[in-house]
Amino acid sequence: MRNLTNKITSILLGFISIVYMGCSSDDSSENNGSDLEASKLDLNQFRQDGVGVMMQAFYWDVEPIGGWYDEINSKIADWSSTGVNRIWLPAPGKGQSGRLSMGYDPADYFDVGQLDQHGTIETRFGSKAELESLIQKAHDSKIEVVADIVISHNSGGATEANPLRPGDTQAYTLFDEQNGNASGKFNRNYNHFHPNDFHPTDGYEENPFFAKTDLCHDQKYVQDWLWGRDDSVAEFYKNELKFDGWRFDYVKSFDPKWVKAWNDKVGGFSVGENFDGNAQTLKDWVDASGSTAFDFACFYKLDETLDRNNNLTALGENDNMLRKIYPDKAVTFTANHDTEKDPNTDNNISFRNKMIAYAYILTHDGYPTLFYNDYENDSFKDILKNLVLIHNTIAIGDVEILKVDVDEYIMKRAGSGANPGLIFYINISNQEKKTSVTSNWLGKKVVDYANNSKNTLTTDSAGKVTLEAPPRGFTIWSLAKQ
Ligand code: ZN
Ligand code: ZN
C-alpha cells in the first residue's frame, strides 16, 4: 500500500513538474530526494591530495577525565572518512591543576602523563602511552596531529626569594624536581620570568591570570630548552611523540620571532592564536612570524553579520578578514573551546546560524577548522560531512562575490580545468530569494549540493541562471549530470 501511494505521489509530482516547466519562464524542475541524489556528480572524482580540514579535537573541560585520548582514538576512522586531514589536540604537558588541567597552566612540558606529580600520573587527557597510540592511529589514517603549545607563561612552581621582587613572595617561579617539574628538564627560576636580570618586561601583554610567571624568551636558557637543544620541548614533541604541527597559544604575550625560531628548528604546520578581530593586526603577526593564524577577524565578522546586525553587507567589504588578505595564511573557524566555554555569553555564533557560518568557511578560501562539539552533534553531523566533501572537492578557484546586500550574499568559486567550482548563496530573510547571476557554466543543468533546494536549474548559453535560496538558509550550486 505504501509503495503504491509513493508511486501515485511520484506520478503526480512528475505531472505537476511538467506542467510547471511548461508555463514557467525560468527553466527549473523539481526533483524528489532520490532523483536529486541521482542527478548529482560524484564529487569524490575531484578530491585532491593535501586538501582537507582541521578538527579541534577538544572542548573546555573535556570528559571523561583521564580518558580523552582514547575517546578521540575511537573517532579517527570516521573523521578520516569525512575528510579531516589534521587534528588539534590539547597541550600535552602536566599542568598545575593536575587531572583537572586543560593544559593552559603548564608546569612540566616533559611529563605528558607518565610522572607522578600535581596529584596524578595521567593528565586530564590520559597517559603518555595513550597519547602515542592516538598519534599512531591518526598517522595510519593519514591525519597529522597538531600540539597546543603554551609557552607564554607557566604555573605550578614554588615561591622563592627574588631580588627583583623585594618583599613579594607570591611569585611561583621555582620549578625543579621537587617543585612541580619532576622530569628535571627545563628547571626554571625567577630569572626565566619577568622581571629578570635582562629586562623588566618584553613589552608584550601578559596573560592576566599568570602575570608573575610570564616566560622570558630572550633568555638563551629558555630558548634552548623550548626549541634549541636536541632534547628541547619542540624536539621531544616532534621526534619522540611524533607530533606534526603546532598551535601556539596566546601569541599576544611574546614576540612573533619566537614562533619563527621554533618553526625554523623543527618545521611542520603552524598556527597562532592571536585573539584579535582586526585583520591588519593578524596580517602583521603573520608577516613577523611566518606562521598561519586563526582568522579571528572572519569569526567576528560572521558573528556580527549573522547574529548581531542581521546584515550581510560587511561580508562584501575588502580586507576585513585575514582570509581576504592572505587566504593561504588564514585558518578559519566558527567556534572553539574559548568561544563556547560559557553558553550564557554571546561570544559565539548561535546554533541558529552555525550551519550558515560553516557553509561560509567551507566554501571560501582559507583552511577551515571543525569544532568537536559541532561535528559530534547529531543535528549537525551529516550537514558538516557534506560541507566538508564540498570543501575538499569543488571549493576551489578564484573567489568572486556576485551579490551582497542586507539579506543576500552570493559568491562564486571559479573551479579549475574539469573542476566546475561552485556558487554559494546565503539568504537571511524570512522569504525564499531568487537572483539572476552569471555562472561559468554555459547551457548546463545545475543542482544544489547542500540539499536545500530540490530544483534542477539550467543555465543559458551565456551562463545566466536564476538561483534560489530558502528562508534563513543557503544553497551551494554546481554542475549536475547533464
Ligand atoms: Zn623577556
Ligand atoms: Zn553571536
Side-chain angles (χ1 to χ4, degrees), residues 303-304 306-308 345-350:
D303 188 35
E304 175 191 310
L306 295 171
D307 273 12
R308 296 172 194 274
T345 61
D346 182 20
N347 288 320
N348 48 58
I349 295 169
S350 64

mmCIF file of all heavy atoms in Angstrom, residues 303-304 306-308 345-350, ligand 2:
data_model
loop_
_atom_site.group_PDB
_atom_site.id
_atom_site.type_symbol
_atom_site.label_atom_id
_atom_site.label_comp_id
_atom_site.label_asym_id
_atom_site.label_seq_id
_atom_site.Cartn_x
_atom_site.Cartn_y
_atom_site.Cartn_z
ATOM 1 N N ASP A 303 29.957 36.450 13.186
ATOM 2 C CA ASP A 303 29.106 36.670 14.358
ATOM 3 C C ASP A 303 28.343 37.995 14.217
ATOM 4 O O ASP A 303 27.139 38.074 14.477
ATOM 5 C CB ASP A 303 29.964 36.673 15.627
ATOM 6 C CG ASP A 303 29.116 36.709 16.898
ATOM 7 O OD1 ASP A 303 28.032 36.108 16.907
ATOM 8 O OD2 ASP A 303 29.544 37.353 17.871
ATOM 9 N N GLU A 304 29.064 39.022 13.772
ATOM 10 C CA GLU A 304 28.453 40.350 13.636
ATOM 11 C C GLU A 304 27.347 40.342 12.576
ATOM 12 O O GLU A 304 26.231 40.818 12.816
ATOM 13 C CB GLU A 304 29.554 41.338 13.248
ATOM 14 C CG GLU A 304 29.116 42.744 12.938
ATOM 15 C CD GLU A 304 30.275 43.529 12.304
ATOM 16 O OE1 GLU A 304 31.397 43.523 12.849
ATOM 17 O OE2 GLU A 304 30.051 44.130 11.237
ATOM 18 N N LEU A 306 25.713 37.758 11.088
ATOM 19 C CA LEU A 306 24.625 36.797 11.246
ATOM 20 C C LEU A 306 23.859 36.989 12.551
ATOM 21 O O LEU A 306 22.627 36.962 12.573
ATOM 22 C CB LEU A 306 25.176 35.367 11.186
ATOM 23 C CG LEU A 306 25.794 34.950 9.849
ATOM 24 C CD1 LEU A 306 26.507 33.607 9.995
ATOM 25 C CD2 LEU A 306 24.728 34.870 8.759
ATOM 26 N N ASP A 307 24.584 37.160 13.662
ATOM 27 C CA ASP A 307 23.937 37.165 14.979
ATOM 28 C C ASP A 307 23.525 38.553 15.444
ATOM 29 O O ASP A 307 22.476 38.731 16.039
ATOM 30 C CB ASP A 307 24.898 36.618 16.043
ATOM 31 C CG ASP A 307 24.832 35.112 16.178
ATOM 32 O OD1 ASP A 307 24.228 34.477 15.304
ATOM 33 O OD2 ASP A 307 25.383 34.588 17.154
ATOM 34 N N ARG A 308 24.425 39.534 15.241
ATOM 35 C CA ARG A 308 24.215 40.825 15.893
ATOM 36 C C ARG A 308 23.458 41.809 15.018
ATOM 37 O O ARG A 308 22.514 42.440 15.463
ATOM 38 C CB ARG A 308 25.560 41.438 16.303
ATOM 39 C CG ARG A 308 26.283 40.607 17.345
ATOM 40 C CD ARG A 308 27.697 41.130 17.594
ATOM 41 N NE ARG A 308 28.485 40.148 18.321
ATOM 42 C CZ ARG A 308 28.502 40.046 19.644
ATOM 43 N NH1 ARG A 308 27.806 40.869 20.385
ATOM 44 N NH2 ARG A 308 29.223 39.115 20.226
ATOM 45 N N THR A 345 27.133 33.504 27.548
ATOM 46 C CA THR A 345 27.604 34.745 26.942
ATOM 47 C C THR A 345 27.502 34.621 25.428
ATOM 48 O O THR A 345 27.582 33.531 24.882
ATOM 49 C CB THR A 345 29.075 35.017 27.298
ATOM 50 O OG1 THR A 345 29.866 33.940 26.784
ATOM 51 C CG2 THR A 345 29.271 35.134 28.783
ATOM 52 N N ASP A 346 27.318 35.755 24.764
ATOM 53 C CA ASP A 346 27.272 35.697 23.310
ATOM 54 C C ASP A 346 28.607 36.116 22.711
ATOM 55 O O ASP A 346 28.745 37.155 22.101
ATOM 56 C CB ASP A 346 26.128 36.548 22.752
ATOM 57 C CG ASP A 346 26.083 36.434 21.228
ATOM 58 O OD1 ASP A 346 26.649 35.462 20.702
ATOM 59 O OD2 ASP A 346 25.516 37.324 20.583
ATOM 60 N N ASN A 347 29.619 35.271 22.953
ATOM 61 C CA ASN A 347 30.878 35.427 22.232
ATOM 62 C C ASN A 347 30.939 34.402 21.114
ATOM 63 O O ASN A 347 31.994 34.099 20.599
ATOM 64 C CB ASN A 347 32.068 35.195 23.161
ATOM 65 C CG ASN A 347 32.218 36.340 24.133
ATOM 66 O OD1 ASN A 347 32.049 37.493 23.754
ATOM 67 N ND2 ASN A 347 32.498 36.017 25.384
ATOM 68 N N ASN A 348 29.778 33.839 20.801
ATOM 69 C CA ASN A 348 29.802 32.726 19.862
ATOM 70 C C ASN A 348 28.762 32.943 18.774
ATOM 71 O O ASN A 348 27.924 33.834 18.867
ATOM 72 C CB ASN A 348 29.514 31.428 20.610
ATOM 73 C CG ASN A 348 28.309 31.565 21.510
ATOM 74 O OD1 ASN A 348 27.228 31.891 21.047
ATOM 75 N ND2 ASN A 348 28.490 31.341 22.793
ATOM 76 N N ILE A 349 28.866 32.128 17.733
ATOM 77 C CA ILE A 349 27.867 32.169 16.673
ATOM 78 C C ILE A 349 26.743 31.219 17.087
ATOM 79 O O ILE A 349 26.984 30.058 17.430
ATOM 80 C CB ILE A 349 28.508 31.771 15.328
ATOM 81 C CG1 ILE A 349 29.555 32.834 14.953
ATOM 82 C CG2 ILE A 349 27.447 31.626 14.249
ATOM 83 C CD1 ILE A 349 30.451 32.453 13.808
ATOM 84 N N SER A 350 25.513 31.741 17.108
ATOM 85 C CA SER A 350 24.397 30.984 17.656
ATOM 86 C C SER A 350 24.134 29.707 16.854
ATOM 87 O O SER A 350 24.473 29.621 15.672
ATOM 88 C CB SER A 350 23.145 31.851 17.654
ATOM 89 O OG SER A 350 22.795 32.162 16.319
HETATM 90 ZN ZN ZN B 2 26.692 35.611 18.481
#
